Amino acid sequence: MAKLEVYDKSLDYSYAPGIFPATECLRNAPERCLRLLLSSASERSEGAQKLRTQAEALGVRAEIADRALERISKKENCFAAMVYKKQEGVFDAGAPHIVLVNPSDSGNLGTILRTALGFGLTNIAIIRPAVDSDDPRVTRASMGAAFSLHIRHFDSFAEYRAQFPERQLFPFMLTGAVPLDEAVRRVRGEYALVFGNEATGLPDEFAGWGTSTLIPHSDRIDSLNLAIAAGIGMYAFTHRNSEA
């Protein structure tokens, strides 16, 4: 493998910084793992040494790379990072979709990915332009959840819709016509939850596509954080058939 570069989205590989994200990469996507980078201080970390043993058992090269870790993580206490090859996901047929239209914040995206995995929603569509889902900051924010998800990218919502024309859409909007509790009762077959950009939300045209959904909240705030709204929506839809 050639000399490692400072991360850029044009590269065909990226980094999973941190012991836990690196471990998740190795556990859930070993075929994508290219190299394990360790700090010289990692000998004091039981977790780092366990990761090294697991990587070497799977034939993944491990090496001490302090300078590379500093460039990748921008932190002095990063003990490990996995170098992995990028890969476009393949959706599970019949499973729900989470569609993120132009997400722009790496922390929000990472949190949404981790939350989606927690609720068993593994098909993630990202509509460009968008924050790079392979950016190490996203991977770290997701705590490695990205390696258990099927993440696909589309250049427009029209491209996504052309591939999944029959899927029932639930766009989440501040002007949504249907409250969340009513929307979940309208699910009929395969569906997708659609969320917009952090600052602008979804364009008005989405109100005419599917069931525009509103999360009611007090008038003391103008909106919910994207990751919070996505988490509420995912919980409601995945628990719609469970009644106390």
Side-chain angles (χ1 to χ4, degrees):
M1 184 176 178
K3 179 181 177 181
L4 297 174
E5 303 288 341
V6 174
Y7 180 72
D8 184 272
K9 64 181 179 180
S10 64
L11 296 172
D12 62 0
Y13 63 88
S14 186
Y15 306 98
I19 294 174
F20 192 81
T23 300
E24 289 298 288
C25 183
L26 185 66
R27 176 184 295 122
N28 297 299
E31 73 285 354
R32 298 172 63 186
C33 295
L34 301 173
R35 194 187 303 186
L36 175 62
L37 308 179
L38 297 164
S39 77
S40 55
S42 64
E43 294 181 358
R44 302 194 300 268
S45 168
E46 181 179 348
Q49 290 307 303
K50 182 178 179 181
L51 174 59
R52 179 171 193 159
T53 299
Q54 294 171 338
E56 292 176 340
L58 291 171
V60 178
R61 173 181 167 185
E63 62 185 77
I64 301 299
D66 289 318
R67 290 185 179 180
L69 283 173
E70 187 176 344
R71 291 197 305 270
I72 294 163
S73 69
K74 304 295 191 296
K75 294 183 178 181
E76 295 181 356
N77 62 344
C78 182
F79 286 158
M82 185 65 75
V83 185
Y84 69 91
K85 59 184 175 182
K86 297 179 182 179
Q87 178 177 292
E88 196 74 0
V90 177
F91 283 174
D92 289 327
H97 294 176
I98 300 299
V99 183
L100 305 175
V101 181
N102 313 137
S104 61
D105 184 86
S106 57
N108 273 336
L109 179 55
T111 300
I112 291 170
L113 296 181
R114 182 166 173 77
T115 304
L117 182 59
F119 291 128
L121 299 168
T122 57
N123 294 336
I124 312 294
I126 298 179
I127 311 301
R128 299 186 178 105
V131 63
D132 178 10
S133 61
D134 281 299
D135 188 304
R137 292 172 295 183
V138 174
T139 304
R140 189 157 197 163
S142 82
M143 292 299 288
F147 301 111
S148 296
L149 299 171
H150 311 296
I151 302 174
R152 290 180 59 179
H153 298 83
F154 300 85
D155 289 328
S156 66
F157 185 78
E159 180 187 353
Y160 166 82
R161 193 58 173 155
Q163 293 192 35
F164 303 97
E166 302 301 323
R167 188 162 290 261
Q168 188 179 7
L169 300 178
F170 291 88
F172 281 67
M173 308 179 70
L174 291 176
T175 56
V178 179
L180 179 60
D181 58 351
E182 171 62 23
V184 300
R185 291 194 288 268
R186 297 192 182 188
V187 173
R188 301 290 184 271
E190 299 178 0
Y191 67 90
L193 308 184
V194 186
F195 300 93
N197 173 267
E198 291 88 342
T200 60
L202 291 171
D204 292 342
E205 64 206 58
F206 277 79
W209 296 344
T211 303
S212 63
T213 302
L214 173 70
I215 300 177
H217 58 72
S218 80
D219 59 6
R220 301 186 71 174
I221 59 170
D222 58 353
S223 65
L224 294 167
N225 169 273
L226 173 60
I228 296 296
I232 292 171
M234 287 187 276
Y235 175 84
F237 275 80
T238 55
H239 288 72
R240 68 184 187 279
N241 294 322
S242 60
E243 301 197 2

